[in-house]
């Protein structure tokens, strides 16, 4: 009559060996599935490749043939491949095939008596436009954002715009000679809690027979009142600026 022992293939020891072999093969199978699209090249590069052969992430000993690199990540967008690479403490990002000076970079340097954070959006040596956008906690318009810049010198090579500054030109026709005439400027949205307005007349004859005075009152975030007085009723262009603090 068969007993439970007859169900053991070759005895308990042989069963243990078979179970251990099965566990090892299962681990190897799982590892093979995880590494299905991963390649290790002869140059020391470890690449993660998707099913279509696109390189998603790369760990390599060289980047652009002249720099040490720790890791590079790629994203395919149409016929272009965007990348980000961390190389010797320098985070570079751009498009495959672009020149070194055209790539964006974020670098940190210890200069002994000071620390430096360098941001570049590329095109540093060309005439193409560059854009660097920094958000501090919230996006513009959704709440208070603060980026403190403490330095001895700030250089802006293009047009400077700020939510706390509004500029414009308004033409006012005096209601009579030597009579102060006002004009209400509206539609502004200057950021800040206190506001100042500065006005100057576009004229070649200040004083005497020309403009004798300009001014501004009731300055708020939304607008202010312009004033002009001149010796005649010639329409006068007034340049103005409102600054919020």
């Amino acid at each position: 009559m068969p007993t439970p022992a007859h169900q053991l293939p070759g005895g308990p020891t042989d069963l243990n060996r078979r179970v251990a072999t099965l566990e090892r093969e299962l681990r190897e199978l799982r590892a093979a599935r995880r590494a299905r699209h991963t390649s290790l090249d002869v140059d020391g590069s470890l690449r993660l490749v998707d099913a279509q052969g696109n390189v998603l992430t790369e760990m390599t000993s060289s980047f652009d043939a002249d720099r040490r690199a720790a890791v590079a990540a790629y994203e395919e967008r149409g016929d272009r491949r965007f990348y980000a690479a961390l190389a010797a403490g320098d985070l570079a990002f751009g498009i495959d095939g672009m020149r070194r000076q055209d790539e964006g970079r974020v670098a940190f340097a210890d200069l002994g008596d000071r620390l430096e954070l360098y941001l570049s959006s590329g095109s540093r040596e060309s005439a193409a436009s560059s854009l660097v956008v920094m958000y501090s906690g919230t996006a513009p318009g959704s709440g208070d954002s603060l980026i403190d810049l403490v330095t001895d010198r700030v250089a802006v090579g293009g047009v400077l715009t700020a939510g706390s500054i509004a500029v414009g030109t308004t033409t006012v026709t005096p209601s009579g000679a030597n009579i102060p005439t006002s004009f209400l400027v509206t539609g502004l949205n200057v950021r800040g809690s206190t506001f100042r307005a500065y006005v100057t007349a576009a004229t070649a004859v200040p004083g005497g027979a020309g403009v004798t005075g300009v001014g501004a009152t009731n300055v708020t975030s939304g607008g202010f009142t312009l004033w002009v007085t001149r010796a005649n009723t010639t329409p006068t262009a007034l340049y103005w600026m409102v600054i919020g603090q």
Side-chain angles (χ1 to χ4, degrees):
M1 179 177 180
T3 65
H6 289 90
Q7 306 299 321
L8 296 176
T13 302
D14 181 61
L15 179 61
N16 289 340
R17 287 198 301 270
R18 292 192 179 190
V19 170
T21 300
L22 180 61
E23 289 177 344
R24 184 183 69 255
E25 292 175 349
L26 182 59
R27 286 195 299 270
E28 292 174 352
L29 179 61
R30 289 175 175 173
R33 288 184 60 84
R34 284 196 300 267
R36 180 178 179 182
H37 301 299
T38 302
S39 64
L40 182 61
D41 294 348
V42 294
D43 62 358
S45 299
L46 177 61
R47 296 184 176 91
L48 177 62
V49 185
D50 63 15
Q52 288 72 42
N54 300 314
V55 178
L56 304 179
T57 303
E58 178 181 17
M59 297 185 68
T60 177
S61 60
S62 64
F63 182 69
D64 282 352
D66 63 348
R67 289 184 293 162
R68 304 292 294 179
V71 63
Y74 301 91
E75 179 183 351
E76 302 286 344
R77 298 182 189 176
D79 59 349
R80 296 189 298 176
R81 186 168 73 154
F82 293 76
Y83 68 83
L86 178 62
D90 187 344
L91 176 61
F93 48 94
I95 305 173
D96 268 0
M98 67 167 31
R99 298 174 303 170
R100 171 70 186 275
Q101 63 265 28
D102 290 334
E103 70 182 11
R105 299 174 63 230
V106 179
F108 175 80
D110 184 351
L111 304 181
D113 58 340
R114 61 189 174 92
L115 300 177
E116 180 179 274
L117 177 63
Y118 175 80
L119 294 93
S120 168
S121 64
S123 300
R124 297 190 301 277
E125 300 177 5
S126 69
S129 298
S130 296
L131 177 65
V132 174
V133 180
M134 293 186 294
Y135 297 152
S136 177
T138 56
S142 63
D144 289 336
S145 295
L146 177 64
I147 296 177
D148 283 328
L149 182 61
V150 181
T151 181
D152 295 330
R153 179 175 180 267
V154 177
V156 179
V159 177
L160 175 65
T161 60
S164 61
I165 300 176
V167 297
T169 303
T170 302
T171 299
V172 179
T173 301
S175 59
N178 300 312
I179 297 177
T181 302
S182 65
F183 184 90
L184 184 61
V185 177
T186 60
L188 307 183
N189 184 23
V190 182
R191 301 288 298 274
S193 57
T194 59
F195 307 92
R196 295 178 175 86
Y198 304 88
V199 183
T200 187
T203 178
V205 286
V211 177
T212 57
V214 295
T217 58
N218 304 320
V219 185
T220 68
S221 172
F224 64 102
T225 302
L226 276 175
W227 293 89
V228 61
T229 302
R230 64 179 301 154
N232 50 47
T233 58
T234 302
T236 304
L238 302 177
Y239 300 146
W240 53 263
M241 173 188 296
V242 177
I243 298 179
Q245 291 181 312

